[in-house]
Amino acid sequence: ENGIEDEALQMWLLDWFNDLGECFSYHRQSIGEGESYQLLDPTWLTGAVYKIIRDCKADKDGSIAYETIRETLHLKSDEVRYILNIMRKFLLSYSVDESREFIPALIPSDMPDDFPVKGTPVLSYETEYRFLPDTVLYRLMVIYKDRNLLESAYRGGLRIRGNGVTCTISMRSDTNKLYIDLYTDETGTTENN
């Protein structure tokens, strides 16, 4: 409709809008396990995801047993696996092991006592967006959980650590601001020294 005929640009825009949560796109990869399912009623899928987030109780670290999810949804195991595979594809969850799933939307909303880093950051960045959905942080949590860098998280922020650097990323949805603070171990500013 907008005259974008370059296929590479179309794919880039689909990725970008998908990352922003403006649309859902399956164009890059297959869903994985349970691919034989054809989703004829998308409200079935979104309803299941919302039911998991609304009705399931997770541990403090945001992990939940597959069996708890299955019992909450009243579905067969392969249907639950299909839903979780789609959630993973859109970085809404992460498979911790064969029996547990990490779901950032289920972690506590209060900042944990161990979250703040002591000292002065060597780099601070603040930016304001017109629209900043909570899912931005949730997706980062899944990415860094997958890379074993996620140290601490709550619904408003995450702390990652790797290669001698600690970074906190937090947001305030009421102001649409995102904050990134970087601490280095060499300066003696992280609480873990």
Side-chain angles (χ1 to χ4, degrees):
E1 284 181 24
N2 293 292
I4 300 171
E5 296 181 12
D6 182 330
E7 189 172 325
L9 183 55
Q10 290 174 351
M11 295 301 110
W12 179 82
L13 285 169
L14 274 176
D15 284 337
W16 189 47
F17 289 142
N18 182 65
D19 290 344
L20 289 173
E22 294 296 315
C23 72
F24 294 111
S25 175
Y26 296 94
H27 72 280
R28 287 284 181 207
Q29 62 192 30
S30 63
I31 299 301
E33 182 184 336
E35 280 184 284
S36 60
Y37 281 97
Q38 300 262 337
L39 191 59
L40 301 178
D41 182 5
T43 57
W44 174 81
L45 176 62
T46 52
V49 172
Y50 284 125
K51 187 165 182 64
I52 290 169
I53 293 169
R54 187 182 60 243
D55 297 345
C56 287
K57 300 293 182 233
D59 294 340
K60 285 185 180 180
D61 66 354
S63 67
I64 187 168
Y66 291 140
E67 188 60 25
T68 301
I69 296 170
R70 193 190 67 69
E71 288 172 0
T72 300
L73 296 177
H74 305 290
L75 295 174
K76 296 184 286 185
S77 292
D78 61 333
E79 293 171 324
V80 171
R81 297 268 182 217
Y82 176 78
I83 291 164
L84 292 175
N85 280 333
I86 290 181
M87 288 179 68
R88 290 179 202 136
K89 176 175 176 22
F90 290 107
L91 302 176
L92 299 174
S93 73
Y94 173 78
S95 176
V96 176
D97 57 36
E98 303 86 35
S99 64
R100 299 192 70 75
E101 191 79 8
F102 169 68
I103 302 175
L106 296 179
I107 62 176
S109 56
D110 294 331
M111 181 189 300
D113 294 336
D114 71 343
F115 183 80
V117 178
K118 295 177 184 172
T120 305
V122 293
L123 177 72
S124 288
Y125 177 76
E126 175 185 321
T127 188
E128 185 174 351
Y129 294 88
R130 284 188 205 171
F131 175 67
L132 185 60
D134 296 339
T135 56
V136 169
L137 283 184
Y138 299 165
R139 297 175 110 201
L140 287 173
M141 289 175 198
V142 169
I143 289 167
Y144 290 120
K145 182 87 168 166
D146 183 41
R147 296 176 184 170
N148 291 318
L149 298 173
L150 185 65
E151 270 194 339
S152 182
Y154 69 105
R155 287 193 198 161
L158 63 136
R159 187 181 71 229
I160 55 175
R161 183 183 173 107
N163 298 325
V165 175
T166 300
C167 179
T168 60
I169 304 169
S170 57
M171 65 178 272
R172 289 194 44 196
S173 54
D174 60 331
T175 62
N176 289 328
K177 288 189 178 182
L178 183 74
Y179 305 91
I180 301 172
D181 292 311
L182 189 69
Y183 305 82
T184 62
D185 291 343
E186 291 77 31
T187 61
T189 58
T190 63
E191 72 176 341
N192 296 321
N193 277 346

